[in-house]
Amino acid sequence: MGVDDVNNKFFTLADVSEHNTPKDCWLIIAGKVFDVTKFLEDHPGGDEVLLSATGKDATDDFEDVGHSSSARAMMEEFYIGNIDSASIPTKKKYVPPKQPHYNQDKTNEFVIKILQFLVPMLILGLAVAIRFYTKAPSS
């Protein structure tokens, strides 16, 4: 298979997802498909790392590790084609759930906060006063 044949070969995500065993392992990294089956035993991080990245776009997993330039060059021997980008689901942007607007000027909440501070202080002051006035004078 020549370089031009590989560059024109496209796989869908479903095609690549079928290759997820130690005897047949394909990965998608940066829009390219790699058959890393022969590399599983030699991978410094172990074969589980590669097997866990099958069936999805593993670009983020690959980049997060910070591979060396020699590791990136080594990838070319495992390159078998490109991924059909239409077969990869688009990532949805995280939208936090709507929360009610927080208003610090609510009197009820403000009064409760003050009472949560003052009531224990009053109890403590009362306990100290009782202890002080009921203590027998020392002779």
Side-chain angles (χ1 to χ4, degrees):
M1 188 182 286
V3 175
D4 290 333
D5 293 336
V6 171
N7 286 334
N8 293 328
K9 183 76 173 165
F10 283 89
F11 300 96
T12 65
L13 179 61
D15 294 335
V16 177
S17 296
E18 292 174 5
H19 303 273
N20 59 2
T21 66
K23 295 183 181 192
D24 186 22
C25 183
W26 291 10
L27 295 178
I28 303 167
I29 300 172
K32 296 180 178 180
V33 179
F34 299 91
D35 182 354
V36 295
T37 309
K38 295 176 184 173
F39 185 63
L40 287 176
E41 291 180 16
D42 298 329
H43 186 261
D47 62 348
E48 275 93 30
V49 175
L50 297 177
L51 289 169
S52 69
T54 61
K56 63 177 183 174
D57 184 351
T59 305
D60 290 339
D61 296 337
F62 181 80
E63 296 298 334
D64 287 347
V65 174
H67 287 88
S68 66
S69 57
S70 62
R72 292 175 188 277
M74 185 186 297
M75 289 173 55
E76 291 308 313
E77 71 182 84
F78 303 109
Y79 175 65
I80 58 172
N82 296 307
I83 189 70
D84 178 9
S85 58
S87 68
I88 296 180
T90 58
K91 292 183 180 179
K92 294 181 181 176
K93 183 179 177 186
Y94 175 73
V95 177
K98 299 278 185 196
Q99 295 182 352
H101 179 68
Y102 179 68
N103 186 358
Q104 290 182 326
D105 296 332
K106 288 184 178 177
T107 306
N108 292 339
E109 289 181 14
F110 181 70
V111 170
I112 289 172
K113 295 282 184 191
I114 291 212
L115 288 176
Q116 285 178 336
F117 176 76
L118 288 180
V119 169
M121 294 310 264
L122 288 172
I123 293 172
L124 181 63
L126 183 62
V128 169
I130 290 173
R131 173 81 174 145
F132 178 76
Y133 287 113
T134 60
K135 187 176 180 185
S138 56
S139 333

